[in-house]
Amino acid sequence: MDTVDSMTHDSAHGTGTQDTGADGAAQERRLTTREAAERLGVKPETVYAYVSRGQLASRRTPGGRGSTFDASEVEALVRRTGRREPSPSVAGDLVFRTGITLIEPDRYYFRGVDATDLARRYGYEEVAEWIWTGELRAGIRFTAAPESLAAARRTAASLPRHSSSTDRLRAAVAAAASADPLRFDLSPEGVLNSARSLIPTLVGALPPAGEADGEGGSLAARLWPKLSALPADAASLAVLDSALTLLADHDLAASTLAARVAASAHAHPYAVVSAGLGVLEGPLHGAASGLAHRMLLEVMDRGGAAPVVADHLRTGRRVPGLGHRLYAAEDPRARALFALLDEMPSAVPVMAAARDVVATTAGHTPLHANVDLALAVFSVACGMPAETGETVFAVSRTAGWIAHAMEEYAERPLRMRPSGQYNGPRPPRPLPTPEATASERVASSGPRSAN
């Protein structure tokens, strides 16, 4: 990790910052909003409420992104309010110190660097390495181990024809794990070796959409023929590579939490990825872009968003592709992808449909576009299937799951063991007896009278 990244990591997630005098003695220790909230045992929003009431003073960080707080002032407020930093079980929320992704109201960062800037400059594999190691390896390409790839392809191909891409990815992960005798090596280098092989194995295990199959080049170039039978032009491939990069991690999303739980039990990296894939398939997570894909097709077919949005609202359904609880305005991932999609001639009518959805819905509720809508624009514009966004999401997020697993392997094992709040029948209860089956009840009743 370089100096700039190390400073950002400390400021955002662990040790705060210090101003030192000429003699080197610490003059003032600064806490991030998250650290101050943890010390006080409150949510970050409450910290800003303290600021508005004059109970805490904040200072903008250089560049105006985020605020810091005087640690001694926070401790004084702790004493006045009687609050103490709670344990996760008392607070009701699990808190993980992580140096991977920081999310702010209008942007997010990978190891302290704006993620959208990284996506504009570097490819997915380069950014995955940055997320894993804090080092940028220009031009790196991931290569699948031949034995693992062969096993994954055989297994994925054996599934029924109607199986989804996520079905095939889950099967491919299990097959690749069985072919890797070193999968239980949880050292950082061992995990990285597995990850660099697993991600291209996932792509290689997917069936081609046409006659061509991607064998070389960037991961995005190898994934393209799995999604489309048409050849990729430079603009379309740039969108796919950027989508993979932007989706590589997003802090503690549901699938990432599942991956960390698996890693806490020292499950090997393949099992960690399997845990993430299991959660990702839910319609509220990775599969959400498929709903937006179908909505955009309907908008284009019906000539406008108004009747489609009205149907969603009338039936009590959410309008897909809109809103994100972590961003006050437009999802920065969507913003970055829309800028690239505007350069694709085939995306012009689909972008118009997406903007029509946003504008129509704005009259009812102020929701902004999220990354699911951007992925849907891409898949519709390229004539790809509705599950394209989910496939891209799954392949991309594997990098984030691995990064979080590496962090979790360094923590105390099995630390995520919440206590259940039992609300069943109070003991002691009598030992249950089996109920008679219908045939036994008939037999025990004796022969029926004919009269």
Side-chain angles (χ1 to χ4, degrees):
M1 184 181 296
D2 60 28
T3 304
V4 174
D5 182 52
S6 180
M7 290 171 62
T8 306
H9 175 275
D10 290 344
S11 174
H13 297 292
T15 60
T17 59
Q18 293 184 5
D19 296 329
T20 57
D23 59 355
Q27 301 297 316
E28 179 185 24
R29 181 166 178 265
R30 308 294 299 179
L31 301 178
T32 65
T33 303
R34 182 182 296 183
E35 288 176 320
E38 291 174 1
R39 296 290 179 86
L40 289 161
V42 298
K43 295 181 177 180
E45 294 84 354
T46 306
V47 175
Y48 289 108
Y50 286 138
V51 173
S52 66
R53 296 191 206 109
Q55 295 174 279
L56 274 180
S58 64
R59 179 190 300 171
R60 298 295 291 177
T61 55
R65 298 173 180 177
S67 301
T68 62
F69 303 83
D70 185 346
S72 60
E73 194 175 61
V74 172
E75 293 300 335
L77 182 59
V78 168
R79 291 190 292 272
R80 291 199 304 273
T81 60
R83 291 185 179 274
R84 291 294 183 270
E85 181 176 350
S87 66
S89 60
V90 174
D93 294 312
L94 287 172
V95 176
F96 298 86
R97 296 192 184 278
T98 172
I100 302 168
T101 301
L102 171 66
I103 298 177
E104 292 191 340
D106 61 345
R107 67 192 69 215
Y108 69 118
Y109 306 85
F110 292 153
R111 295 199 179 276
V113 179
D114 190 299
T116 58
D117 289 343
L118 283 167
R120 276 191 291 268
R121 181 74 181 273
Y122 301 107
Y124 171 73
E125 290 148 294
E126 294 167 317
V127 174
E129 283 286 330
W130 171 254
I131 290 173
W132 292 336
T133 67
E135 297 178 0
L136 191 70
R137 298 177 61 188
I140 185 172
R141 293 287 182 261
F142 298 158
T143 304
E147 299 83 1
S148 295
L149 179 57
R153 280 177 167 165
R154 286 194 304 269
T155 304
S158 69
L159 297 181
R161 291 184 61 183
H162 66 265
S163 299
S164 69
S165 61
T166 308
D167 291 332
R168 298 184 191 282
L169 290 174
R170 286 203 310 267
V173 171
S178 67
D180 183 3
L182 302 180
R183 63 187 180 276
F184 296 105
D185 179 5
L186 303 187
S187 68
E189 194 54 41
V191 173
L192 288 174
N193 286 337
S194 295
R196 293 177 186 127
S197 173
L198 174 59
I199 293 176
T201 296
L202 294 178
V203 173
L206 293 172
E211 294 183 2
D213 200 352
E215 295 294 342
S218 68
L219 193 83
R222 284 175 274 172
L223 178 59
W224 177 274
K226 312 292 185 173
L227 306 174
S228 175
L230 301 175
D233 56 63
S236 301
L237 200 58
V239 175
L240 178 56
D241 201 3
S242 292
L244 288 167
T245 302
L246 292 165
L247 291 167
D249 190 58
H250 208 232
D251 196 35
L252 267 293
S255 59
T256 304
L257 177 59
R260 287 198 79 129
V261 171
S264 181
H266 282 192
H268 55 69
Y270 299 89
V272 167
V273 172
S274 292
L277 285 171
V279 176
L280 189 71
E281 197 173 14
L284 301 181
H285 196 7
S289 63
L291 302 175
H293 176 108
R294 296 180 180 91
M295 176 190 67
L296 289 178
L297 288 176
E298 186 179 0
V299 169
M300 296 171 69
D301 182 60
R302 299 178 68 174
V308 179
V309 170
D311 285 347
H312 276 78
L313 299 178
R314 182 164 51 245
T315 55
R317 293 174 291 160
R318 294 177 62 241
V319 179
L322 299 181
H324 197 292
R325 67 185 185 89
L326 297 182
Y327 296 115
E330 189 174 56
D331 185 335
R333 300 169 296 178
R335 187 166 59 244
L337 289 177
F338 285 153
L340 293 172
L341 288 162
D342 279 331
E343 302 298 318
M344 286 177 52
S346 62
V348 171
V350 197
M351 283 294 297
R355 290 189 171 113
D356 192 9
V357 169
V358 174
T360 301
T361 310
H364 173 74
T365 181
L367 294 177
H368 300 273
N370 62 34
V371 73
D372 297 315
L373 188 63
L375 288 172
V377 170
F378 172 67
S379 58
V380 172
C382 295
M384 294 173 174
E387 65 177 8
T388 294
E390 183 177 353
T391 305
V392 173
F393 208 122
V395 171
S396 169
R397 190 55 59 87
T398 299
W401 296 331
I402 293 293
H404 281 272
M406 293 176 69
E407 283 193 336
E408 196 59 42
Y409 290 146
E411 297 285 350
R412 176 175 55 85
L414 296 173
R415 64 189 179 120
M416 286 170 270
R417 179 60 172 88
S419 298
Q421 187 174 26
Y422 179 74
N423 63 355
R426 299 304 305 172
R429 300 183 71 199
L431 191 68
T433 56
E435 291 189 11
T437 65
S439 58
E440 290 172 336
R441 287 195 293 271
V442 170
S444 63
S445 64
R448 293 180 179 271
S449 172
N451 297 325

